[in-house]
Amino acid sequence: QTAKPVPVEKAEIIHWWTSNSESAAAKLIADAYRKAGGIWVDSAVAGADQARAVAINRIVGSNPPTAAQFNTTKQFLDLVEQGMLNNVDDVAKSEGWEKILPEPVLNVIRIKGHYYAVPVNIHMQTWFWYSKAAFKKAGIAKEPATVDDMFAALDKLKAAGIIPLAHGGQAWQETIVFQAMLANVGGKELYLSVIRDRDQKAINSEAFKKVLTAFKRMQAYTDPGSPGRNWNDATALLISGKAGMQIMGDWVKGEFAAAKQVAGKDYGCIAGLTPNSPYLIQGDAFVFPRTTNPSTVNAQKLLAKVVLTPSTQLEFNKLKGSIPIRSDVDTSTMDICAQAGMAIMKDKSRQVGISEIFLTPDQNGALQDILTAFWNTRMPVEKAQKSIASALKD
Amino acid sequence: MSAILPSANAVPNASQKPQRRVRSKGFSFARLGIYAFLISAAIFFLLPLYIMLTTSVKSMDEIRMGNIFALPQQFSLEAWTIAWSSACTGIDCEGIRGGFMNSVAIAIPSTLIPIFLGALNGYALSFWRPRGANILFGILMVGAFIPLQVMIFPLVRILASIDLYSSLPGIVLVHTVFSMPVMTLLFRNYYSTIPHELFQAARIDGGGFIRIFVQLVLPMSTPIIVVAVIMQLTGVWNDYILGLVFAGREHLPMTVQLNNVINTTTGTRMYNVNMAATILTSLVPLTLYFVSGRWFVRGIAAGAVKG
Amino acid sequence: MANVRLQNLGITLGGNQIISDLNLSVEAGEFLVLLGPSGCGKSTLLHAIAGLIDVSAGSVEIAGQDMTWADPSERQIGMVFQSYALYPTMTVEKNMSFGLRINGTPKAEIARRIEKVAEMLHLTPLLQRKPAALSGGQRQRVAIGRALVREAEVFLFDEPLSNLDAKLRSTLRRELKLLHQQLQSTMIYVTHDQVEAMTLATRIVVMQAGKIQQIGTPECVYERPVNLFVAGFLGAPAMNFIRGELDAQARFISNTLSMDLSTYAFATSWSTPAEVILGVRPEQIQIREDGQFVGAVMLVEPMGNHQVVWLQAGAQTISSIVNDQRPFEIGQTVLYSIDTCKISLFNPQSEQRL
Amino acid sequence: MANVRLQNLGITLGGNQIISDLNLSVEAGEFLVLLGPSGCGKSTLLHAIAGLIDVSAGSVEIAGQDMTWADPSERQIGMVFQSYALYPTMTVEKNMSFGLRINGTPKAEIARRIEKVAEMLHLTPLLQRKPAALSGGQRQRVAIGRALVREAEVFLFDEPLSNLDAKLRSTLRRELKLLHQQLQSTMIYVTHDQVEAMTLATRIVVMQAGKIQQIGTPECVYERPVNLFVAGFLGAPAMNFIRGELDAQARFISNTLSMDLSTYAFATSWSTPAEVILGVRPEQIQIREDGQFVGAVMLVEPMGNHQVVWLQAGAQTISSIVNDQRPFEIGQTVLYSIDTCKISLFNPQSEQRL
Amino acid sequence: MQIKALRHKTKSLTPFAALLPMALVTLVAYLGATLWSIKVSFSSSRTMPTDTFVGLAQYTKLFENERWLLSIENIAIYTVLFILVSMVLGFLLAVFIDQKVTAEGVLRTVFLYPYAMSFVATGLIWQWMLTPGIGIEYAVRQMGFPDFVFDWIIDQDKVIYTILIATVWQTAGLVMALLLAALRGIDEEIWKAARLDGIPVWRVYVSIVIPMLAPAIATVFLLLSTTAIKLFDSVVAMTQGGPGTASEVPAKFIMDHLFGRANIALASAGAVMLLVPVIAILAPYAYARSRKARNIAHISEKHK
Ligand SMILES: Nc1ncnc2c1ncn2[C@@H]1O[C@H](COP(=O)(O)OP(=O)(O)OP(=O)(O)O)[C@@H](O)[C@H]1O
Ligand SMILES: Nc1ncnc2c1ncn2[C@@H]1O[C@H](COP(=O)(O)OP(=O)(O)OP(=O)(O)O)[C@@H](O)[C@H]1O
Ligand SMILES: [Mg+2]
Ligand SMILES: [Mg+2]
């Protein structure tokens, strides 16, 4: 029964793209792969954790898939260290990944000089979305361009009887809000010293405290029904004009599209509140479980190549809502939010990874636990600060 | 013969006299109370189903805007057809029907074998009481408290080492392992209420271990077997994680597809399709529940002993 | 044909020593009746012989083989449980044929035996019923039937006829006796019915509190009880006990009675004058006009074919069986005599027969 | 004190009409004994009186009130189940006291009653045991105890003494009689023991196949059975039936016998010559040297206080009770006479008494 | 004697043979997995088990983790209430359904159906129903109680009760089925005896039926305890542990660390800690039972 590699380059790919929009995107890659001569065998598993767990267990059970989706984060670092992944150095070299891929992503997929994953896309998590209708109703004329603007806008929305911040009260969504605050209120330097360097001094600094305060302040703009809410239900509030703003990743566009709303007309998107707010990169990638079977290795390499071809990149990301990983794609056919994102990406100094790129899953989780507790309880800022400090200590 | 079946025993009694029984007023009040309780409980139980059903026939727009209790404004079965035959679960958009036969193939052996083993264990434990078996049982009971996910990793390794990983026998074996504590407990405790003398009589009659089990004990187990089937079939049918990890690509159960339809982190969500898919998936256990009634027989050991 | 031999048997249940140091040897083909008061350990003993409870000491030998730890199914035993223990899910027929089917007896043979036994037990119309739809007596008969079809080496019957009417009981008693003669199997039979004990037994064992008091033929046990317990236990109404003294001339003297017992066959030596208890059965007390002793009628119990007359004689109550229907009045003074040839004498201290 | 009246009672179980159109009136304070062959519907009848099974027709009246559909608990009934139906999880004491505790009987009173009943039933040392740790007879006594502590208006006993030894049985019989006299409650009592029936009953009801055959005092039922069934059912050994002819002079003539029955009190008119069945009880057949008839000894059953001698007379087997221990030999020819004043005559067609 | 006794016990090997699968499963899978977890919990394993021994470090970490501590507290409250409420409700349903009610089959299915539904979807329904503003609160307000408040699901202190409601809803039917099967097994004669004794029905249930159901209740109890302690799916589906960490439970902590957070050592430590109270409760119970058996023997010996 075990799917032993056969001479034909049959490639079983585990991924978690299961919703309608994601499926369409996945299908695009599959089609491209097939066109390139591969045989795509689809193993979709809903839920990122779940899908990764399956992949890992299949590797352990000596029945690995040809490729498995991971995030472009430290998630697969352990696998690499255990020698469980094949590298795709050949492809990376021949395709010149070093040149076309953004730095934060390269830092993750390149481990000790070897390339262990092929990135697929860039999601930006900390977009500020707003309902034009709601803004109009609240009398907000212009898109907030500073943090203070934003708070002012939120206050106005509140005054107009509109839910200022459409928020899904789940820990990961709170982390997104936090990252948005850290990036926009704290700025890139603070962001990196806290998240990347885990610098105790920075964490205990007054500036970081301000970030936390701002983060907590956001909570006051949510409605009582927010805890536990799914992000799409929050987006629905935006769509219906019941709420004014949401901080969420670019996948939100799928919901707007489903409700036949158009970017720039019905809703607006703000990537950052300052001209140099970091663009927090997150994305998906495929890793290649270790195998010595040459045809499987070929299949893996083929996938690595296909995924990064510009046309695939463009079409895939259009469907997925993200932006292409390579900077050399013509994005004129994409929506204005994506285009804005691509524009920002051109500025290398604004490319910064999300926390998962820098933190181990474990540290990241601990951070998330503290943030959500802080968000939802009356935890004093100092305590949150202290807890974060100790969670990010080694 | 038929006296054992409730349909022949209890029901005629009940149906013969209601018109007379009404005369006693204490009786009807009690009845009233019973029905009041049952009906209010039923309403409580049915409320979520109502929401699921109405949601499944609403359009996404209506769900997004409307009240969850509201009746659908435009009734549409589209979600059901999508759920059944065209929802995407990855690049394949064939709905949840694809895994149906897999689920059946997994569920049948994974229901029968664990129940058989559970009954066998219970029987051996409560009638034969072999030395040391109770210690074993104790360990098993403690083991029932381990979250099964913790055991996945070692089990994957074990199964891989005996070449059963990612196969139908493998997933059946895994279900057998995980259901063993509860199934054993279920039968062991049930058998402890059967008069021991019956077992003794069968031993005098020369019955061996297997004979007594098959011919005497199993026929007396119908009510508990029904409960066991309800539990085990539901458990296996609704299992997701084990099927996902152990069954292998070719045998993925329906629930994997169901989860793929329902569960998404960053994709769009189709609540109406989710609800339809959930209800569709649960139809098999639901049918079982409905038809199981006739095996909930009364007084299966009646007339066996006096005392 | 198999003998049963119990040696130094001890049985403990729930921490109570029910039977201790019991020795009993049942000959092959014997019909042994176990008698004893309720709770004395009769059923326990049968269960031990059948191997259904573990003995704590001693050994059980069947057909010359040590079976102390053998499986019940190896012992070739048929048993009627006091509580019936019918298989509730099986019909009467299945209940009875279960053992045979297990043994692999041919179908035709099973059918033949079932038919025979069902006929004998008047169960034929009930063969397709389940136990729950049977009356108490019918259940008991199924239990008997289940044992009988087996034609085992040793049969253990635990009060098998207790819930049957007198007529059926006497029929079955006769059938059992016939069967025993036919099969020549060994039977150990617990009963509380004196008629059964007397008519069926080749020997009777009287037990009390887990100990055997007397073993002997029915006549022997009835007529020469070894101690007060056995004397009092057998016979209905019970033996009359009269305290008195035995003088050197072997005359028994009590408040109300005085009689010559010089023909009495003493079991042990004794020295006079001695306190004794005189045991005399109700049927040995005849109420007649030429009786020697005087009593007043206290109570009359008509029994159909006889009547039991309770007499007051001094402080003593004496029962007497009168075999005709002549009328008595309460309070009426009557004369009675005692048939001295069948009396028993007991030592009041040791309670043993003198 | 409560009477019980059953009118046109019909009961169906599992599709079988067990009892049909039964009428019975039990006086308050009466001690009614139900007799009948196994499976005739005695237990069913008791259950119907207690309200534990639904009647399909007719009515049950207790203490003058229609109780046909009343709850069992309203009927003020104490009952001993044939199957005991003890509460398995309660100790003996709890089993007995449960009903009282529920009724709110004062604790002291409960203790008093339990003590009394336990004493009477010899259960005192077992009060803290659970039923599973009791012997069959002990369980039965608990079942009796549970009913007795209730001091109900009507007691229903379903073979309450069947599993007890003769001695205990006779003690309890007497206790029950005493209790009945004390409480003056109505008792309906199923038994297969003739002695119990005869000694306890104020009236006996003989049932067959769900129908009442005869109701009457013990003597009446025993001596003047209304039909062949009752005649044959009562008495152990059973009545001897001899087919013959009655001529115009009221002489009974059969192959082997011939006797004058002109003193017989005919119940109905009849025309001669008529085929009849002569019923004569074993105790009315005396084996004596001056007997008129001849028979050969077939079988002798010693019963302790009497012996049953089975005689062959022509094609007929006749049982006779001999109240002494004189020896008989199988095959020996003996003379016997028949006491004609207690015989019964039956119409062979209708089986009714003549 | 001893030798003979031994021979008797070992003579029929069939029971031992029959229990072989159970023995294998118990020893290999359960005992094995437990030992494996213990071993891993003493290591510094992350995604994969490794052999680097770190002593009790994971346990220290565990008990310094506020989320874990809160999880423990939550599960303790939840387990007690869940067992209690499910049992009572399930028992009542079983008892009432057992009263020869009409439409028994329909009612049974109605009470049992939640058990058949994947909680991924039903959890969402519950979340909707409990969310203030759209669910029950909204409905009741519409019915003319504008001040009605039902916001447990967003309340730090009450959110665990919403999980309780939903899981009881899911499980009570199964409890009902289990107890119904046991109820039907009770001999009708016992009922008759009790009715004669004039015992009110509720008393019969309390004093006779429930004791007779003891084995079934024990089954239910164990079943509910295991489900309660392993509570995970419902939390994920309804609250994801929120608001904040208010509804976090140990199994979710374990699962998060097992998969998402790639720290199987800590997860294993958590799993091992879950077993501690179980063993702590079960062991004295088993001990007490064997003691009791011995004591009875002892006492009755004295009586003689
Ligand atoms: N559930 C039932 N279905 C069908 N027939 C039944 C059922 N219960 C009892 N019977 C039949 O009803 C008849 C009367 O039973 P009942 O128990 O009243 O007899 P009984 O007179 O008490 O006999 P016994 O002396 O043997 O106890 C029996 O022939 C029995 O087979
Ligand atoms: N499990 C047990 N635990 C303790 N004592 C028990 C147990 N089972 C039986 N006994 C006791 O053992 C004694 C013997 O019981 P047994 O059943 O052998 O009596 P029996 O002679 O058959 O009496 P009966 O004539 O009443 O049936 C009784 O006193 C009983 O109380
Ligand atoms: Mg006994
Ligand atoms: Mg009866």
Side-chain angles (χ1 to χ4, degrees), chain C residues 20 22 39 53 57 107 112 118 127 159 172 178-179 186 195 245 261 292 298 316 318 339 345:
Chain C
S20 57
L22 184 140
I53 46 181
K107 279 225 171 118
R112 197 189 57 74
L127 281 177
E159 309 189 20
L172 290 184
L178 271 172
L179 203 80
T186 311
V195 176
E245 213 168 77
L261 298 181
Q292 301 139 273
M298 266 178 69
Q316 190 91 33
I318 293 173
D339 181 356
L345 285 177

Side-chain angles (χ1 to χ4, degrees), chain E residues 228-289:
Chain E
I229 288 198
K230 296 196 272 190
L231 172 71
F232 168 64
D233 288 357
S234 335
V235 174
V236 172
M238 281 176 64
T239 66
Q240 300 210 331
T245 49
S247 58
E248 289 291 351
V249 288
K252 182 163 175 285
F253 182 94
I254 293 169
M255 249 56 86
D256 281 352
H257 284 84
L258 208 51
F259 301 129
R261 300 191 181 176
N263 191 342
I264 63 171
L266 191 61
S268 299
V272 171
M273 286 323 293
L274 276 193
L275 291 187
V276 170
V278 171
I279 295 171
I281 291 168
L282 283 188
Y285 169 75
Y287 179 70
R289 258 178 55 147

Side-chain angles (χ1 to χ4, degrees), chain E residues 123-151:
Chain E
L124 182 70
I125 297 289
W126 275 105
Q127 191 195 327
W128 286 353
M129 290 200 335
L130 295 166
T131 301
I134 62 165
I136 293 169
E137 186 186 89
Y138 174 81
V140 175
R141 285 183 180 178
Q142 292 297 304
M143 282 189 285
F145 303 92
D147 299 325
F148 178 80
V149 177
F150 185 58
D151 59 355

Side-chain angles (χ1 to χ4, degrees), chain B residues 3 9, chain C residues 126 129-141 163-165, chain D residues 12-19 36-47 82 158-159 190 192 207:
Chain B
N9 195 357
Chain C
L126 306 174
R129 293 242 190 113
K130 291 211 176 139
L134 297 178
S135 80
Q138 287 163 346
R139 288 179 196 174
Q140 191 164 36
R141 280 179 276 154
N163 277 73
L164 303 181
D165 56 277
Chain D
T12 308
L13 286 181
N16 299 14
Q17 177 89 2
I18 306 295
I19 286 179
S38 176
C40 73
K42 306 178 294 295
S43 302
T44 309
L45 190 62
L46 292 199
H47 281 240
Q82 190 170 12
D158 204 345
E159 309 190 20
V190 175
H192 288 312
M207 285 177 69

Side-chain angles (χ1 to χ4, degrees), chain A residues 214-326:
Chain A
F215 168 61
K216 181 71 184 185
R217 183 171 169 197
M218 293 302 282
Q219 198 260 343
Y221 295 108
T222 62
D223 63 314
S226 72
R229 183 186 283 151
N230 285 319
W231 66 266
N232 57 315
D233 294 327
T235 308
L237 293 175
L238 230 61
I239 291 170
S240 64
K242 284 185 198 143
M245 196 190 283
Q246 182 181 16
I247 303 175
M248 187 41 64
D250 41 24
W251 47 83
V252 160
K253 289 186 287 186
E255 288 289 311
F256 283 116
K260 302 194 183 61
Q261 297 206 342
V262 178
K265 188 165 139 258
D266 303 300
Y267 65 93
C269 48
I270 310 168
L273 293 172
T274 58
N276 49 9
S277 311
Y279 193 80
L280 298 188
I281 296 176
Q282 178 221 21
D284 301 303
F286 288 111
V287 300
F288 307 99
R290 161 133 256 143
T291 169
T292 47
N293 183 320
S295 62
T296 310
V297 172
N298 281 342
Q300 292 176 336
K301 285 180 181 159
L302 182 61
L303 181 65
K305 215 177 289 167
V306 167
V307 161
L308 281 181
T309 50
S311 59
T312 314
Q313 276 291 312
L314 178 66
E315 294 308 316
F316 173 85
N317 284 303
K318 264 190 190 164
L319 288 169
K320 185 78 171 64
S322 43
I323 59 174
I325 188 84
R326 33 191 318 163

Side-chain angles (χ1 to χ4, degrees), chain B residues 31 45 67 144 177 293 299, chain E residues 30 99 108 113 116 138 184 230:
Chain B
R31 288 253 113 181
F45 275 81
N67 171 349
V177 166
Chain E
Y30 287 96
Q99 307 301 315
R108 210 180 337 91
Y113 90 88
Y138 174 81
R184 297 265 155 106
K230 296 196 272 190

